[in-house]
Each structure stands twice: as structure tokens, then as C-alpha cells.
Amino acid sequence: MKKNFLIPWSARSHNLNNFEISKIVKILKKGNVLTQGIWLKKFEEKFQKFIKSKGKAFGVTSGASAIELAASLLRLKKEDEIIIPSHTYCATALPFARYNCKIKWADIDLNTFCIDVNSIKKLINKKTKAVVAVHLYGSPCDILTIKKICEEKKIILIEDCAQSLGSKVHNTHVGNFGDFAIFSFHQQKNLTTLGEGGMLIVNNKKFQKFIPGLRHNGHREYKNKKKYWIPAMVDVYKDLDGVTPFNFPMTEIQACSGFYLLDRLNILNKKRNLRAKKIINSLKEFKFIKFQKIEANNYSSYHLLPAFFETKNTNFTRNKFIDLMSKKYGIQVIIQYHPLDKYHFFKKKYKSNLKLKNTYNFYNNMFSLPFHVWMSEKKFDYMISSCRNILKKVNYFEE
Ligand SMILES: Cc1ncc(COP(=O)(O)O)c(C=O)c1O
């Protein structure tokens, strides 16, 4: 196995500039408050404005903790069912698995690589409590249709926007369609708040008031305190029956980094778009390589650059392609995501015997190119020519 790749799959998507670093250092040196202070408020307000949200934004420790908070508010019972695509990162589903409900795995659309509306329709029944719609790899799923279905059936809609900050549907930012939406600022995301971080958007007003307590150990001031130290610092409140609070607030330096990075996000996303278009164009003669279809009127944040290698009518395999990219050109291409229904954890818990044709087909034939935004133009062009050199050798028999 090659260890030192010329173009590795980077753990980090973008860097901080000197101005951003100086702001963070200032808090480290002089900040009296390191968590739940003014920067968290400032970042939440700016984020809300950035995505033009009519809901409320809550900064949290990760995308997973944002999902965790949303899941806790559904007060799930044994008979409840949650529809989630099998093709996504495991954190989309894990918070729901903590409860005694059932996860129903949906298939994907082979053109958009996102959750398939027809698969959702087949899974919906009276027990369906929520649908988690994932805007995967930066590209919006068919959220307008999914929203319509959920409204008709009175089902909660959660948008997983972990990979799609800045993505839009008809000029509306993702995160504005569901009852809840979550964003991730993990190190590989288009915007990272120093490695970890997340944002929960609560559009459904009836849930908003529960988040501050649930996010921070149920803390409330005691009423009628006799002395500042009696009975103690804070009371712990029960906001909802059966829901125990968490401790998920984002720190001040994370919030500060997010606050300033938001000013650069559109530029970073534009660079991703230009590069994605360049590589897609450069490989378009290879009919057996299919990139993610971005529907007209949608905008993708191009978090990643996955492609489906339609090996069916070729003398080649996806694995051979990845191997050659690695061994001959030093480029670390990877595959994503192991179908969730096949994970040991979920397989044991839900014991399903599913046939998610597109999900499995995609998983067996997809590849994902390194796509960190700090990759040099020279290396990016080298990656394109390396792909071309390999793909030119593939024999394709058109049907
Ligand atoms: C689709 C998706 N959902 C949820 C998450 C969870 O986000 P975090 O890593 O911030 O917990 C991720 C992050 O990798 C993700 O890609």
C-alpha cells in the first residue's frame, strides 16, 4: 500500500488566513469567556442571515449532535419509523438508533446520488414519523417533492445539510425546507470551525424553545434566590417528558472562526464549482463516467467530487482505476459510503433483508477524487491528466 501520496485524500478542506488566525488568538489571549459567549450569538445570527433562515440557528459541537437534538425532540416510540437513505455517512442515522424506533432504509437515485423520492413513497406508512433527506456531496436532493409528501402525510422532515452549506434550490438555501436542518463544520467540510462543530436550524417554531435547555444540561436560573450562592448556581429543568438534556455548545473560538469564514464561503464554493466543471468537462468524452447530476435551478456546494464508473459495458473495473491512480500517479482516490444497512451495527439492530439496488450498485462502482480546496492548480491539472491517461485505455461498448 502506498503511504506517501502525491495528492492525498486530505483530512482538511481549507486553511485559515492570517486575519482569521489573529481573531482566534485574540480570544485565546484575552477572552474572559471561552464558551457560550458573544461569538456563539454572533455566529448564529450571521449563519441565519447567510442561509436566509426564518427559523432559529443553534451552534453545537458537531453535525451529529445537531441530529441528536432533533432526534430527541421527536420522542420516538417503539412503533415509530424513520426513513433514511442507506447511502450517507453513518452519523445521519446513529442518533435515531439510540431510540427504540425502527430505521427504514431508502434507496438512492443513480443520477443524483441522493435519496430517491420513489423509494421514500414505497416506505411511507402510518408509522412513519420522520424522513431524513440528505443533500449528499453538496448537491440538493429533490427536497421540494419530499417536503410536499411530508406535509401531506404530516411527517417531520429533517434536512441533513452536513455537506451542503451554500447549496441552493431555486435560489433558496438548503436548510430552509425541513422542520429541522443540520450542518456540519467537521474538518473536511466546506467550512470548518477548527475541526469540529455544527449548526442546528429549527424551522418548526414549536420545537425552538426546547433547544437552549437541551443543548446545555437543562440549565436555568433559580427563581427567588435567597443569596447568590443559595440554593446553588443553577437549577436543572425537565423541558420534555422522557428527554434528558445534553451538553453540546460550540466554543467561542470555534464560533469566531465560523463567523469570519462565512465571509469567504461563497468564494470557496465558487472555486469548487469551477474546478468541478473543469474536470467534468475534461472527462466528458468518457461516456462510462457519470458525475452527480445537478438539477437545473439548483446550486451545489461541490463538497466532494464523486463519480459512477459504469463498468457494465467496459473491459475495466472501478478498483483497477483506483489502483492505477494510486500506484502509477500517487493520487489517493477513495470510495464512499459503505451502505448503512450493511454495517455490522445496523444489520444487527434491524435485521433487514433489503435489496437497495442502486445503493449497492453505486457503492460497488463509485469513486471519489480528492477535492480539498487548497490543492494547487498544478496538482489539480495533474489529477485530470492522470484520470484521462487511464480512462483512454478503457474499451467501452456502447449499447
Ligand atoms: C452526511 C453527513 N451527515 C452528518 C454528518 C455528521 O457531522 P459531524 O461529523 O459534524 O458530526 C456528516 C459528517 O461527516 C455527514 O457527512
Side-chain angles (χ1 to χ4, degrees):
M1 196 174 144
K2 204 170 175 119
K3 282 198 186 93
N4 294 315
F5 288 97
L6 186 68
I7 304 182
W9 178 269
S10 172
R12 173 175 186 156
S13 67
H14 63 76
N15 293 320
L16 292 169
N17 62 30
N18 287 339
F19 173 74
E20 290 149 4
I21 292 170
S22 73
K23 293 289 178 186
I24 292 162
V25 170
K26 198 168 162 195
I27 299 175
L28 284 176
K29 280 186 174 164
K30 298 199 174 142
N32 187 28
V33 173
L34 292 177
T35 184
Q36 304 216 71
I38 184 73
W39 287 103
L40 179 58
K41 260 207 162 64
K42 277 164 73 119
F43 182 37
E44 288 172 342
E45 280 167 16
K46 191 163 173 179
F47 191 91
Q48 235 168 268
K49 270 198 197 131
F50 181 83
I51 67 160
K52 299 192 173 71
S53 166
K54 293 197 179 81
K56 265 195 95 42
F58 299 93
V60 287
T61 47
S62 66
S65 50
I67 305 173
E68 201 76 61
L69 286 167
S72 77
L73 286 171
L74 303 187
R75 302 160 87 194
L76 296 162
K77 293 186 223 70
K78 200 170 164 213
E79 60 275 17
D80 291 333
E81 294 182 358
I82 312 288
I83 297 174
I84 300 176
S86 167
H87 184 69
T88 176
Y89 179 61
C90 57
T92 305
L94 283 170
F96 298 96
R98 216 175 299 290
Y99 301 92
N100 211 0
C101 62
K102 188 142 203 246
I103 292 177
K104 304 292 267 190
W105 303 111
D107 208 351
I108 52 163
D109 180 304
L110 264 192
N111 295 309
T112 64
F113 310 169
C114 283
I115 191 165
D116 175 23
V117 171
N118 290 320
S119 175
I120 296 177
K121 282 184 186 160
K122 279 184 205 152
L123 293 172
I124 284 181
N125 61 47
K126 287 204 171 81
K127 296 185 222 158
T128 310
K129 182 90 178 190
V131 172
V132 186
V134 187
H135 306 293
L136 204 61
Y137 305 118
S139 178
C141 63
D142 186 1
I143 196 70
L144 292 175
T145 313
I146 298 171
K147 182 177 169 64
K148 199 159 165 255
I149 296 170
C150 288
E151 277 172 357
E152 272 166 24
K153 306 267 183 196
K154 298 196 171 25
I155 293 168
I156 295 283
L157 173 58
I158 299 165
E159 287 179 85
D160 181 338
C161 313
Q163 303 188 357
S164 55
L165 177 55
S167 304
K168 292 179 198 162
V169 176
H170 291 270
N171 253 335
T172 302
H173 279 263
V174 297
N176 285 302
F177 300 95
D179 295 275
F180 299 95
I182 71 97
F183 291 84
S184 164
F185 310 128
H186 171 262
Q187 63 180 357
Q188 281 185 340
K189 299 301 187 291
N190 292 26
L191 183 158
T192 178
T193 50
L194 310 179
E196 294 282 0
M199 192 69 79
L200 171 67
I201 302 292
V202 187
N203 292 317
N204 187 328
K205 292 198 167 46
K206 83 173 183 213
F207 293 116
Q208 289 171 353
K209 63 176 182 287
F210 299 117
I211 304 296
L214 283 182
R215 178 175 59 171
H216 190 215
N217 294 329
H219 279 192
R220 294 287 201 293
E221 294 249 335
Y222 276 106
K223 288 174 191 134
N224 309 321
K225 279 182 83 139
K226 282 195 188 120
K227 300 210 182 266
Y228 81 87
W229 43 276
I230 290 181
M233 292 292 282
V234 288
D235 196 359
V236 172
Y237 259 63
K238 182 168 86 176
D239 286 304
L240 276 171
D241 261 342
V243 184
T244 307
F246 308 87
N247 187 25
F248 287 155
M250 173 183 269
T251 67
E252 286 291 274
I253 52 168
Q254 285 180 304
C256 172
S257 69
F259 179 88
Y260 286 109
L261 279 162
L262 268 184
D263 293 335
R264 276 206 292 142
L265 185 75
N266 285 336
I267 297 169
L268 292 172
N269 280 353
K270 199 167 173 196
K271 185 168 176 186
R272 287 174 180 276
N273 263 265
L274 288 173
R275 281 189 164 175
K277 275 163 201 154
K278 185 172 182 184
I279 198 162
I280 291 166
N281 240 337
S282 308
L283 303 185
K284 74 168 183 263
E285 73 194 75
F286 307 110
K287 299 274 187 290
F288 46 91
I289 299 294
K290 296 209 157 72
F291 287 95
Q292 193 169 25
K293 182 180 174 201
I294 315 297
E295 298 290 354
N297 297 315
N298 283 2
Y299 179 78
S300 173
S301 68
Y302 273 108
H303 169 55
L304 292 172
L305 197 66
F308 179 62
F309 197 139
E310 212 169 28
T311 46
K312 192 165 60 130
N313 295 331
T314 69
N315 60 344
F316 224 73
T317 66
R318 179 274 310 268
N319 291 0
K320 200 163 152 188
F321 172 75
I322 294 181
D323 238 12
L324 280 171
M325 285 290 276
S326 158
K327 287 188 183 134
K328 201 161 174 200
Y329 298 103
I331 301 172
Q332 190 178 19
V333 180
I334 65 158
I335 60 172
Q336 296 170 291
Y337 289 95
H338 194 79
L340 297 195
D341 61 293
K342 302 261 190 212
Y343 270 113
H344 181 80
F345 174 87
F346 292 113
K347 220 160 70 178
K348 269 206 113 172
K349 193 165 166 72
Y350 301 114
K351 295 190 184 69
S352 63
N353 208 356
L354 288 172
K355 300 245 166 355
L356 301 172
K357 212 171 112 223
N358 292 345
T359 297
Y360 307 153
N361 186 7
F362 186 70
Y363 172 68
N364 289 329
N365 292 291
M366 75 82 67
F367 62 85
S368 196
L369 295 164
F371 204 55
H372 43 281
V373 83
W374 56 269
M375 190 190 305
S376 69
E377 284 306 319
K378 201 170 155 204
K379 282 197 173 160
F380 187 70
D381 289 342
Y382 168 77
M383 184 165 80
I384 295 179
S385 60
S386 306
C387 286
R388 285 187 56 80
N389 288 345
I390 298 173
L391 297 174
K392 267 192 266 180
K393 300 212 171 72
V394 176
N395 286 328
Y396 176 56
F397 317 103
E398 259 181 281
E399 276 175 339

